[in-house]
């Protein structure tokens, strides 16, 4: 981010040169059409033309400029007068987004104080320039829009799915162009939809007030979609900012603070009791530990684990919980997995039933779901294992296509006995050590698919025995988030889903996978039966 001030200063200096000497504008940067409009027709100061050229503004861009765009272009205080002069002309220009163009057949709310959602902008309400041509253009350029149009031509009406898709298409048009979506625009779109697709009524898409609930806040499909997208953006930006701030604080600890926290760390290296003191000093040393993690280049985070050996204690996962809560304080509700899993499980089993599964092992496991006495841990294991037969692995970075079985065992391995588990774990650690590969956190269980005895989460150095299969999922995700472990590529889609759907953590590598998006769409269709989650699509 350090280069941004340099870029801003460079733009300002360049534009100052243009303003001082119009001949400074080289031939490739001249814009005769813009010059004719600004200087010849509107008779504005040539400096305004120079500023616009210096920012790459054309006549077409000028038509779309709103208040925020003017603030960005005329960000320098000494250009404020030029900004107001140009804004006055834009308001009078019929092709401008700032020009009042209220349709005669639409009643626009006259007492609305802001043009966008609270917190997005403080600019006063501007007139809408939305036309039927814009609505048709959005529908014609978008595949969903074409489907909506075809559906209406066949049935002369829209169903609930088409209405929702129509609202999403319009909102996504604004989001993709990083434009504000003023309330007057929403109201105008709602009116145009009712005219374009009778017997649709505007209040379905935008209702300035919910009279039934006696609320003053707007509602409707368009407003709700934009509100949700905006809220998710705020949450995502807040998380990014919090993480960046924590990383910066960790790397910029003063020498005195490092010395103070190092004394606590050294005490914890040699003491595991009393537990209350360990836990308190563990929280106190979070930034010092985060500093170790960020600087640890070992693929298995061995350096960090050696510095913080309490992680290797049998209850070290409680310390992982502590770090995760600190890292996501005020952003995530870390109990989402436990609160939402039951209802998710019901709907995912339905998704399994409508999926064409061909994997033999998965089919055998699915048959166990019919047993009314099947333990919940066994059901949860089956859901996570069959997941890979529905959302199949994709090619890894080495261009190889992992098998379904590989993805399944990279999430969880079953062992008949404790001795078999211990031997396999030893062999697994030796294999990854000899290949200098990261042994990412994975689950091991002892028993049979219909009756488990023990549950473990293991890495090269860590081994936690946990009370349930679901708790294993929780600890694996937190270990990845806190220590920066990489998931095996064979099962990345699975962990991407768990991260996004239950923890509101966007795992970017597989976030656009088609199979994943289809599953999320299916779950959204049952959102009335599922708890609300913050996951983004």
């Amino acid at each position: 981010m350090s280069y941004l001030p340099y870029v801003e200063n460079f733009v300002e200096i360049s534009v100052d040169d243009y303003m001082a000497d119009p001949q400074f504008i080289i031939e490739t940067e001249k814009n005769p059409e813009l010059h004719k409009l600004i200087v010849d027709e509107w008779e504005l100061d040539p400096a305004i033309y120079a500023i616009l050229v210096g920012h790459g503004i054309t006549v077409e861009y000028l038509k779309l400029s709103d208040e925020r765009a003017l603030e960005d272009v005329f960000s320098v205080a000494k250009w404020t007068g030029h900004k107001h002069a140009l804004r006055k002309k834009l308001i009078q220009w019929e092709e401008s987004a700032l020009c009042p163009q209220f349709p005669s057949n639409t009643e626009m709310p006259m007492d609305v104080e802001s043009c966008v959602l609270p917190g997005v902008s403080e600019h006063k309400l501007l007139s809408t320039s939305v036309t039927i041509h814009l609505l048709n253009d959005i529908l014609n350029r978008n595949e969903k829009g074409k489907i909506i149009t075809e559906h209406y031509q066949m049935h002369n009406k829209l169903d609930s799915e088409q209405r929702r898709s129509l609202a999403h298409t319009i909102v996504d048009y604004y989001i993709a162009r990083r434009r504000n979506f003023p309330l007057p625009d929403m109201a105008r779109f709602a009116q145009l939809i009712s005219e374009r697709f009778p017997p649709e009524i505007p209040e379905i898409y935008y209702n300035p007030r919910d009279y039934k609930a006696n609320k003053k806040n707007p509602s409707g499909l368009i407003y709700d979609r934009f509100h949700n997208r905006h809220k998710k953006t705020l949450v995502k930006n807040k998380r990014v900012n919090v993480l960046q701030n924590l990383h910066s604080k960790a790397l910029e600890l003063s020498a005195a603070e490092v010395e103070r926290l190092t004394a606590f760390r050294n005490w914890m290296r040699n003491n595991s009791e009393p537990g209350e003191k360990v836990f308190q000093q563990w929280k106190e040393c979070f930034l010092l530990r985060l500093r170790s993690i960020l600087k640890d280049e070992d693929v298995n985070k061995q350096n960090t684990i050696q510095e913080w050996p309490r992680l290797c204690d049998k209850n070290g996962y409680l310390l992982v919980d502590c770090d995760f809560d600190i890292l996501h304080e005020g952003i995530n509700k870390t109990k989402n997995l436990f609160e939402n899993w039951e209802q998710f499980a019901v709907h995912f089993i339905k998704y399994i039933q409508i999926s064409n599964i061909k994997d033999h092992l998965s089919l055998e496991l699915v048959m166990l779901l019919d047993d009314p006495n099947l333990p919940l841990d066994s059901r949860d294991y089956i859901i996570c294992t069959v997941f890979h037969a529905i959302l199949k692995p994709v090619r890894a970075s080495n261009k190889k296509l992992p098998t379904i079985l590989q993805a399944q065992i990279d999430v969880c391995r079953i062992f008949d006995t404790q001795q078999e588990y211990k031997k396999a774990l030893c062999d697994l650690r030796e294999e990854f050590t000899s290949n200098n590969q990261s042994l990412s956190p994975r689950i091991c269980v002892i028993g049979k698919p219909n009756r488990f005895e023990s549950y473990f989460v293991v890495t090269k150095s860590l081994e936690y025995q946990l009370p349930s299969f679901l708790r294993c999922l929780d600890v694996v995700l937190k270990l990845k988030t806190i220590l920066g472990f990489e998931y095996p590529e064979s099962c990345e889609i699975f962990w991407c889903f768990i991260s996004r759907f239950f923890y509101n953590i966007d795992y970017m590598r597989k976030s656009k996978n088609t199979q994943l998006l289809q599953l999320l769409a299916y779950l959204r269709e049952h959102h009335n039966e599922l708890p609300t989650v913050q996951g983004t699509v």
Side-chain angles (χ1 to χ4, degrees), residues 245-512:
N245 289 339
L246 285 174
H247 289 177
S248 297
K249 288 180 180 179
L251 295 174
E252 296 172 2
L253 285 174
S254 65
E257 185 67 3
V258 170
E259 183 178 357
R260 184 180 75 86
L261 297 179
T262 298
F264 291 161
R265 184 196 65 189
N266 291 338
W267 182 88
M268 285 188 289
R269 279 180 175 175
N270 302 291
N271 297 273
S272 58
E273 296 291 344
E276 183 177 345
K277 183 176 180 180
V278 171
F279 195 74
Q280 182 59 42
Q281 293 200 359
W282 184 268
K283 291 194 294 184
E284 183 80 12
C285 292
F286 173 76
L287 289 179
L288 183 64
R289 187 163 49 258
L290 182 58
R291 177 191 180 102
S292 301
I293 295 170
L294 293 174
K295 292 185 176 183
D296 193 348
E297 298 180 357
D298 188 279
V299 293
N300 287 292
K301 299 300 177 182
Q302 289 298 102
N303 298 328
T304 298
I305 293 173
Q306 288 175 4
E307 286 188 18
W308 305 91
R310 296 284 71 78
L311 285 169
C312 297
D313 293 347
K314 65 178 183 179
N315 61 349
Y317 60 89
L318 298 178
L319 302 178
V320 175
D321 288 340
C322 176
D323 283 355
F324 187 86
D325 291 342
I326 295 174
L327 198 62
H328 296 282
E329 182 181 6
I331 300 175
N332 288 320
K333 294 182 178 179
T334 60
K335 293 183 179 179
N336 269 351
L337 177 69
F338 305 104
E339 293 174 354
N340 296 345
W341 181 266
E342 283 305 311
Q343 292 194 50
F344 157 74
V346 172
H347 292 295
F348 189 76
I349 289 175
K350 294 179 181 179
Y351 194 70
I352 290 174
Q353 294 169 347
I354 64 174
S355 301
N356 183 23
I357 298 177
K358 297 181 180 180
D359 179 65
H360 295 298
L361 172 60
S362 300
L363 289 173
E364 292 177 3
L365 292 174
V366 170
M367 293 177 62
L368 295 177
L369 293 173
D370 295 330
D371 182 359
N373 299 317
L374 186 70
L376 290 180
D377 282 315
S378 295
R379 181 207 62 180
D380 297 341
Y381 162 78
I382 293 172
I383 286 174
C384 295
T385 303
V386 175
F387 182 98
H388 307 283
I390 300 176
L391 282 75
K392 299 179 177 62
V394 297
R395 293 195 180 277
S397 57
N398 60 7
K399 307 302 181 183
K400 292 183 179 180
L401 181 63
T403 64
I404 294 174
L405 178 61
Q406 184 63 49
Q408 291 171 336
I409 65 176
D410 280 345
V411 171
C412 179
R413 296 190 179 192
I414 297 182
F415 302 94
D416 290 333
T417 65
Q418 183 84 6
Q419 293 74 18
E420 181 184 341
Y421 156 68
K422 288 295 185 181
K423 182 179 185 307
L425 177 58
C426 182
D427 294 341
L428 188 65
R429 286 172 167 172
E430 288 182 1
E431 175 189 347
F432 277 80
T433 299
S434 61
N435 294 329
N436 194 29
Q437 294 178 325
S438 170
L439 179 54
S440 56
R442 58 196 64 203
I443 302 169
C444 295
V445 296
I446 300 174
K448 300 293 184 182
N450 61 347
R451 186 174 298 277
F452 294 128
E453 300 174 5
S454 305
Y455 311 87
F456 299 89
V457 167
V458 301
T459 69
K460 181 180 178 181
S461 302
L462 305 177
E463 181 182 15
Y464 300 140
Q465 183 169 0
L466 298 162
S468 69
F469 185 84
L470 205 57
R471 183 64 161 117
C472 290
L473 292 178
D474 178 63
V475 171
V476 169
L477 182 133
K478 290 176 178 177
L479 278 173
K480 192 277 176 195
T481 304
I482 296 301
L483 294 178
F485 284 109
E486 294 295 333
Y487 295 130
E489 289 184 294
S490 61
C491 55
E492 275 188 308
I493 296 176
F494 172 78
W495 290 114
C496 174
F497 171 75
I498 298 296
S499 299
R500 293 175 60 183
F501 194 78
F502 296 105
Y503 293 87
N504 193 24
I505 298 175
D506 197 8
Y507 185 65
M508 297 301 297
R509 279 173 58 91
K510 302 295 181 183
S511 61
K512 300 301 181 183

